[in-house]
Amino acid sequence: MTTIQRMQWRVRVAQSWSLTLRRLTTIQPAKRDRLIGLLSPFVLMLLWEWAARAGLIDIRFFPAPSQIFGTFVKMAEDGTLWANTWASLQRLFWGALLGGIPALVLGVAMGLFRPLRAAIDPLVALTYPIPKSAILPLILLIFGLGEASKIVMVAIGVFYPICINATAGVLEINKIYLDVGRNFRATRWQTFRTVALPGALPFIMSGLKLGVGMGLILIAIAEMIGAKSGLGFMIWNAWEILAVEMMYIGLIMVALIGYLFNMLLTELEQVLIPWKADK
Amino acid sequence: MNLVADVRPTEYEASAVSPAKIRINDLRKEFRAKAGKAFVALDGISVDIDAGTFFVIVGPSGCGKTTLLRILGGLEAPSSGSAVIRQSQPDKPLNSMVFQGDSIFPWMTVWDNAAYGLTLRNVPKGEIRDIVGHYLERTHLTKFAHAYPHQLSGGMRQRVSIARAFANDPEVLLMDEPFSALDEQNKTILQQELLRIWEEHKKTVLFITHSVDEAVTLGDKIMVMTAHPGRAKAVIDVPFARPRSVLELRSTPEYGELVYRIWGYLREEVQQARAEADGEK
Ligand SMILES: Nc1ncnc2c1ncn2[C@@H]1O[C@H](COP(=O)(O)OP(=O)(O)OP(=O)(O)O)[C@@H](O)[C@H]1O
Ligand SMILES: [Mg+2]
């Protein structure tokens, strides 16, 4: 091959590459991104499996995915997995309710009434930075080792983001809408229901998402101490009996719950906020 | 032919025989400015408005038109003097405002927006359906009853705002430059529509604009306001017969004469307002 021929050949290879790339990019950006998003965890799993079998990683800490899956099937069949997941979900639900509803009412009210905001704002600002997990001993002391302490922990985690976001959401509402309410003689309750709540809803929904994430963190921590059920308990128990696969299953379940809730809440957002849906 | 019936001075005595629907008496409004100094937005305004009058206020930007309307709408308190609407039907709301700028709730459908006042007052469902249906039809919004505001054009949103105020069935309508953000074509169409809806019941209307054309087209009486501080400079009768056709009215020489005459009052005020604005720079 002459130098010129070699150069021509190189150019041709480069051209065919760029063509393939262009084809990949022309399939439709949204579809392509979803495909890549689905593939990447799968590819990682394959790599992990291969590395575990080839002895490149210590399977005492990183058991092969196939092994984890085996344990998963066993735990699903004997029901322990579902019992623990269900226990955590229930605590998450009641905690979100217990923390979320007062947070919503208080947050919106704080946005509407200046004196209330002046009174409560410093309290929120002062207690918010405390790591919620650091309150666990106190909560255990007050509410004991039963269900109540777990639910209260979740409630605390859910409370702050919703309360803070609801207040911010109401303050963000264009003043003209509050004027309309006043001109049409809306009572306090009517103003709350027809102006403040729907106006702040986009903020409240992102607060709820943050809150559920926080609740999930806290439920896992709370269940590690003095619980006999739940995913947190499962993870902690796995450490005590050195069942690494079980530990991974616990982590995966927590991740899945977080992911699903986020998806669910995004759906809910579309339903609850139709005026923002198709912009 | 004398087209302009009378021009009254600022100190204008209401007839003691029939009490006015809206009575504004020596009204003054101050805002606290930054340096603690008082900023006088309105000063010594006295005017009586009879029931059933389409009363228009024109004035340069910043002369306190919105402030005056907000005081009547119960959204602002006067510093001294008074502005009262006489109540004749205790079961009806005293006033409803059409706000300057977008004010319909983005989170409600067109229907729910128009029904807002009636819903707050717990009017029976069937009655709400009839009234709201009627006004959506009059504003050509029936097809969009279930749309959300972000799906509408600016002109349509302003129609919803008008339907909301009319459907509430108040004793007095307070309208703050409802058409100022619209293009010329939409403006003319909506002015005609407004006149048509208004003819149905001839409620007392207080309508604010800075367009002399709009004032002469719509009003029975026009009050010209001075630039800062806002005072009543003149109240002018508009003698044109009703029902009016916007386009036909505008083609008459009498219309042009009246517009020219009102511009005479307004010209120096606008110049003063502009001079002040330049001075602030
Ligand atoms: N809340 C307030 N605080 C301080 N100053 C105010 C307040 N509201 C209005 N002003 C001032 O009062 C004056 C009158 O305002 P207003 O909104 O009534 O004018 P306007 O005649 O409606 O003007 P435009 O035609 O531009 O709507 C303005 O100079 C404005 O800056
Ligand atoms: Mg104004």
Side-chain angles (χ1 to χ4, degrees):
Chain A
M1 257 199 288
T2 65
T3 319
I4 294 205
Q5 273 174 327
R6 210 174 297 141
M7 277 173 70
Q8 278 175 336
W9 181 74
R10 263 195 215 139
V11 168
R12 220 168 301 139
V13 168
Q15 274 171 345
S16 79
W17 260 109
S18 76
L19 207 72
T20 331
L21 267 178
R22 211 173 312 143
R23 256 192 224 126
L24 249 179
T25 48
T26 46
I27 47 172
Q28 233 189 51
K31 240 182 207 166
R32 185 197 60 210
D33 290 355
R34 194 173 304 164
L35 204 72
I36 294 175
L38 280 173
L39 276 177
S40 76
F42 198 70
V43 170
L44 192 76
M45 290 262 275
L46 282 179
L47 268 174
W48 182 354
E49 181 78 37
W50 167 76
R53 287 189 187 201
L56 290 175
I57 49 176
D58 192 337
I59 55 165
R60 284 176 307 168
F61 309 138
F62 306 104
S66 58
Q67 219 173 327
I68 296 175
F69 187 73
T71 313
F72 178 88
V73 172
K74 217 185 307 158
M75 288 182 73
E77 273 171 353
D78 71 15
T80 50
L81 180 61
W82 308 129
N84 285 322
T85 307
W86 182 237
S88 291
L89 280 177
Q90 265 183 315
R91 290 166 185 149
L92 203 59
F93 175 78
W94 291 114
L97 225 56
L98 185 73
I101 290 172
L104 187 77
V105 174
L106 184 67
V108 174
M110 273 165 73
L112 283 175
F113 308 119
R114 236 186 134 121
L116 192 68
R117 191 156 70 242
I120 311 267
D121 236 5
L123 293 179
V124 171
L126 213 69
T127 51
Y128 178 62
I130 300 173
K132 305 300 168 290
S133 46
I135 316 175
L136 182 57
L138 183 65
I139 298 298
L140 285 175
L141 204 63
I142 300 172
F143 294 97
L145 288 170
E147 285 303 289
S149 59
K150 276 104 210 154
I151 292 172
V152 168
M153 279 305 282
V154 175
I156 291 173
V158 169
F159 179 86
Y160 281 92
I162 292 188
C163 180
I164 292 170
N165 272 37
T167 306
V170 172
L171 292 176
E172 275 294 303
I173 295 174
N174 194 333
K175 284 274 167 295
I176 203 165
Y177 300 130
L178 294 165
D179 281 345
V180 173
R182 272 168 74 201
N183 184 248
F184 280 79
R185 298 273 177 274
T187 61
R188 278 189 182 191
W189 168 241
Q190 286 172 330
T191 307
F192 179 88
R193 203 168 43 78
T194 64
V195 184
L197 194 59
L201 204 53
F203 271 70
I204 292 170
M205 283 309 290
S206 37
L208 183 59
K209 279 186 189 172
L210 287 173
V212 167
M214 193 70 207
L216 205 57
I217 294 174
L218 290 177
I219 195 63
I221 293 175
E223 283 171 348
M224 285 183 187
I225 297 163
K228 287 281 159 280
S229 63
L231 292 170
F233 161 75
M234 207 174 98
I235 294 168
W236 190 255
N237 191 39
W239 182 80
E240 285 182 329
I241 62 173
L242 278 175
V244 191
E245 291 95 353
M246 192 158 110
M247 204 182 278
Y248 276 97
I249 291 166
L251 292 176
I252 290 167
M253 287 308 286
V254 172
L256 266 181
I257 291 175
Y259 179 76
L260 284 178
F261 267 116
N262 208 47
M263 236 166 55
L264 226 71
L265 290 175
T266 306
E267 279 307 306
L268 189 67
E269 223 169 358
Q270 309 260 325
V271 175
L272 285 180
I273 316 178
W275 62 93
K276 286 259 163 90
D278 47 78
K279 264 219 179 126
Chain B
M1 190 165 111
N2 184 16
L3 279 165
V4 180
D6 57 27
V7 177
R8 290 172 187 162
T10 318
E11 297 83 21
Y12 139 73
E13 281 299 309
S15 73
V17 189
S18 74
K21 185 73 194 168
I22 302 174
R23 171 159 288 179
I24 300 170
N25 187 28
D26 201 19
L27 183 69
R28 181 183 168 87
K29 177 71 186 179
E30 295 173 8
F31 289 109
R32 210 170 311 140
K34 276 168 232 143
K37 273 198 279 176
F39 175 87
V40 184
L42 293 170
D43 191 27
I45 294 194
S46 295
V47 66
D48 281 4
I49 299 169
D50 291 333
T53 307
F54 199 118
F55 194 92
V56 183
I57 297 178
V58 250
S61 189
C63 74
K65 304 183 294 296
T66 297
T67 307
L68 177 63
L69 214 66
R70 285 175 64 85
I71 291 172
L72 277 167
L75 300 177
E76 209 95 60
S79 303
S80 70
S82 64
V84 263
I85 300 171
R86 183 173 50 84
Q87 181 137 36
S88 49
Q89 292 153 296
D91 54 328
K92 279 192 183 170
L94 213 49
N95 71 81
S96 296
M97 273 178 89
V98 176
F99 289 80
Q100 186 174 6
D102 247 346
S103 73
I104 57 169
F105 300 121
W107 48 85
M108 290 184 193
T109 59
V110 167
W111 181 280
D112 290 339
N113 263 296
Y116 188 60
L118 299 173
T119 316
L120 290 188
R121 283 192 277 133
N122 296 315
V123 171
K125 286 244 158 59
E127 217 171 305
I128 295 184
R129 205 180 318 120
D130 293 344
I131 298 171
V132 173
H134 171 74
Y135 283 107
L136 287 190
E137 202 213 302
R138 300 309 319 245
T139 47
H140 306 290
L141 287 166
T142 310
K143 267 195 286 179
F144 299 92
H146 301 293
Y148 282 94
H150 75 269
Q151 299 165 315
L152 307 179
S153 71
M156 288 156 90
R157 284 204 288 271
Q158 218 41 283
R159 284 196 189 124
V160 178
S161 180
I162 290 168
R164 177 173 70 185
F166 271 92
N168 196 31
D169 194 19
E171 294 203 29
V172 170
L173 283 154
L174 305 172
M175 310 180 86
D176 192 358
E177 305 199 31
F179 307 140
S180 63
L182 304 179
D183 61 81
E184 207 57 44
Q185 293 158 26
N186 253 313
K187 202 182 279 188
T188 310
I189 292 167
L190 281 189
Q191 285 165 348
Q192 186 68 66
E193 277 177 12
L194 173 63
L195 281 178
R196 221 172 278 147
I197 300 168
W198 180 73
E199 298 279 352
E200 287 179 0
H201 300 291
K202 296 226 163 114
K203 283 178 193 292
T204 315
V205 173
L206 192 57
F207 187 103
I208 283 174
T209 179
H210 51 233
S211 154
V212 177
D213 273 303
E214 188 163 84
V216 175
T217 306
L218 300 176
D220 292 320
K221 279 187 194 311
I222 299 171
M223 181 170 99
V224 179
M225 281 179 73
T226 63
H228 173 230
R231 298 170 201 265
K233 182 162 182 164
V235 178
I236 297 139
D237 275 334
V238 181
F240 305 132
R242 293 189 191 271
R244 293 178 189 168
S245 150
V246 173
L247 291 178
E248 274 174 37
L249 177 65
R250 285 186 181 166
S251 63
T252 62
E254 291 88 346
Y255 173 86
E257 278 171 44
L258 187 52
V259 168
Y260 183 75
R261 171 141 199 185
I262 291 170
W263 259 113
Y265 290 105
L266 209 51
R267 190 177 299 125
E268 51 195 88
E269 300 309 326
V270 173
Q271 276 161 357
Q272 191 201 323
R274 286 178 66 176
E276 268 176 27
D278 287 343
E280 276 164 24
K281 275 180 200 158

